[in-house]
């Protein structure tokens, strides 16, 4: 996969691209990241890439020409592939694991990092076909969101992690947060590892992990649970855990937070 990052500060990526999993992925040629300073595409003699906004207002706006020309250049270098040109913007759809999986299925990803007061709207019109945000807060620029996307996408590329099962079992990979993890020693400061994990019974361990992943999600991120998408078995598990923890069921949260129904009582 090829990722082009259009940025005014390519040096910000030095550390993340040289270390750990991303560094190894680049060395093994599982991934290629090209840093493009779109200031190089400015035709202004002072290499300016921003200007005052029409209509007045504070701050500066990124001009369309350097960015559009930079996008056209990287697209021309990578023809005939599955591609997405992404504007990193607080106006974009919030990044989720489902979106990461979409992006990981592409051949070419172009990430445009903004600064100042945003982009001339014609950038969106002419070259962008997606917008992504990390969340509902403001950052200085698009470089940190770009780093997050590169890291998340790289983990899903074949051969990057070395253990494909590891990626499948992580938080969000199946809609649930990850179950609690333990390692040696079996007792630490009076806290013991759950007996089932020491039993060697793989079926019981798998069931415990599934149940605790659901429990952790209901306790910490019930907003992640899509009730209509759950299997019948998952619904039963959710209902049982909700009763144990005295929690509302996911569909009841949306309806006002009613407590879970008593299965022995009336409807």
């Amino acid at each position: 996969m090829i990722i082009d990052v259009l940025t005014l500060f390519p040096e910000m990526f030095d550390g993340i691209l040289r270390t750990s999993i991303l560094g190894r992925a680049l060395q093994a040629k599982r991934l290629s990241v090209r840093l493009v300073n779109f200031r190089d595409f400015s035709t202004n003699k002072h290499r300016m890439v921003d200007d005052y906004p029409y209509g007045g207002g504070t701050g500066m706006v990124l001009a369309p020409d350097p960015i559009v020309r930079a996008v056209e250049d990287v697209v021309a270098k990578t023809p005939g592939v599955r591609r997405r040109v992404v504007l990193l913007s607080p106006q974009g759809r919030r990044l989720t694991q489902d979106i990461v999986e979409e992006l990981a299925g592409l051949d070419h990803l172009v990430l445009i990092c903004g600064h100042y007061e945003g982009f001339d709207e014609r950038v969106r019109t002419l070259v962008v076909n997606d917008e992504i945000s990390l969340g509902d807060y403001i950052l200085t620029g698009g470089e940190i969101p770009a780093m997050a996307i590169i890291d998340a996408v790289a983990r899903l590329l074949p051969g990057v992690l070395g253990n494909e099962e590891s990626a499948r079992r992580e938080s969000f990979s199946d809609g649930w947060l990850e179950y609690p993890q333990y390692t040696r020693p079996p007792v630490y400061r009076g806290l013991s590892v759950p007996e089932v994990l020491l039993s060697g019974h793989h079926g019981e361990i798998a069931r415990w992990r599934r149940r605790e992943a659901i429990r952790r999600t209901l306790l910490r991120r019930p907003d992640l649970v899509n009730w209509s998408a759950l299997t019948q078995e998952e619904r039963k598990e959710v209902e049982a855990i909700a009763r144990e923890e005295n929690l509302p069921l996911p569909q009841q949260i949306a309806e006002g937070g009613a407590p879970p129904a008593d299965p022995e009582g009336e409807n």
Side-chain angles (χ1 to χ4, degrees):
M1 182 182 201
I2 298 172
I3 300 179
D4 279 299
V5 183
L6 277 56
T7 172
L8 295 174
F9 302 98
E11 64 276 9
M12 290 182 65
F13 292 83
D14 287 349
I16 189 173
L17 295 180
R18 291 184 181 180
T19 57
S20 190
I21 291 171
L22 280 178
R24 294 196 298 271
L26 291 168
Q27 287 184 344
K29 301 190 184 306
R30 304 285 184 184
L31 172 69
S32 174
V33 177
R34 304 185 297 206
L35 302 174
V36 180
N37 190 334
F38 57 85
R39 191 180 298 278
D40 295 337
F41 291 83
S42 174
T43 57
N44 183 289
K45 67 178 181 178
H46 300 295
R47 300 179 71 225
M48 291 179 61
V49 295
D50 60 334
D51 210 332
Y52 295 102
Y54 279 126
T58 61
M60 305 290 278
V61 174
L62 287 168
D65 190 57
I67 298 174
V68 170
R69 284 159 50 86
V71 171
E72 290 173 344
D73 183 75
V74 298
V75 166
K77 290 176 179 176
T78 317
V81 297
R82 294 170 298 170
R83 180 186 358 264
R84 191 83 56 87
V85 180
V86 178
L87 199 64
L88 299 169
S89 161
Q91 299 180 30
R93 52 185 183 145
R94 187 181 300 179
L95 186 66
T96 65
Q97 188 65 21
D98 286 342
I99 293 175
V100 171
E101 291 174 6
E102 281 179 34
L103 301 179
L106 302 170
D107 303 309
H108 185 206
L109 182 60
V110 182
L111 303 175
I112 306 175
C113 304
H115 275 271
Y116 313 120
E117 292 302 311
F119 303 87
D120 184 296
E121 188 66 19
R122 289 164 292 188
V123 172
R124 290 183 168 91
T125 304
L126 292 171
V127 294
V128 169
N129 50 31
D130 199 356
E131 294 189 46
I132 292 176
S133 168
L134 281 193
D136 298 334
Y137 47 88
I138 306 299
L139 296 170
T140 303
E143 282 75 18
I144 291 175
M147 293 175 194
I149 290 174
I150 293 169
D151 187 87
V153 167
R155 297 175 66 82
L156 299 183
L157 300 179
V160 168
L161 285 184
N163 182 352
E164 306 305 324
E165 187 67 18
S166 177
R168 288 196 295 271
R169 290 185 177 181
E170 291 174 330
S171 289
F172 307 114
S173 59
D174 61 355
W176 306 106
L177 297 181
E178 191 174 28
Y179 48 78
Q181 294 272 25
Y182 296 88
T183 186
R184 290 178 287 187
V187 180
Y188 178 69
R189 297 195 179 189
L191 300 175
S192 300
V193 175
E195 286 294 328
V196 65
L197 300 180
L198 307 175
S199 68
H201 193 298
H202 298 300
E204 288 298 322
I205 290 171
R207 282 188 285 275
W208 181 88
R209 286 175 167 169
R210 182 68 168 176
R211 186 167 58 250
E212 294 309 307
I214 294 173
R215 186 188 310 277
R216 179 155 288 187
T217 306
L218 291 178
L219 288 170
R220 300 187 180 187
R221 291 292 306 277
D223 57 294
L224 293 175
V225 182
N226 182 354
W227 180 261
S228 63
L230 298 182
T231 65
Q232 190 64 32
E233 182 179 348
E234 287 174 327
R235 288 192 182 198
K236 289 180 180 178
E237 196 75 78
V238 167
E239 289 170 347
I241 293 171
R243 288 195 297 271
E244 290 174 18
E245 301 289 348
N246 195 30
L247 298 170
L249 292 174
Q251 86 277 21
Q252 293 169 333
I253 293 174
E255 297 168 0
D262 181 353
E264 301 299 324
E266 296 183 6
N267 295 331

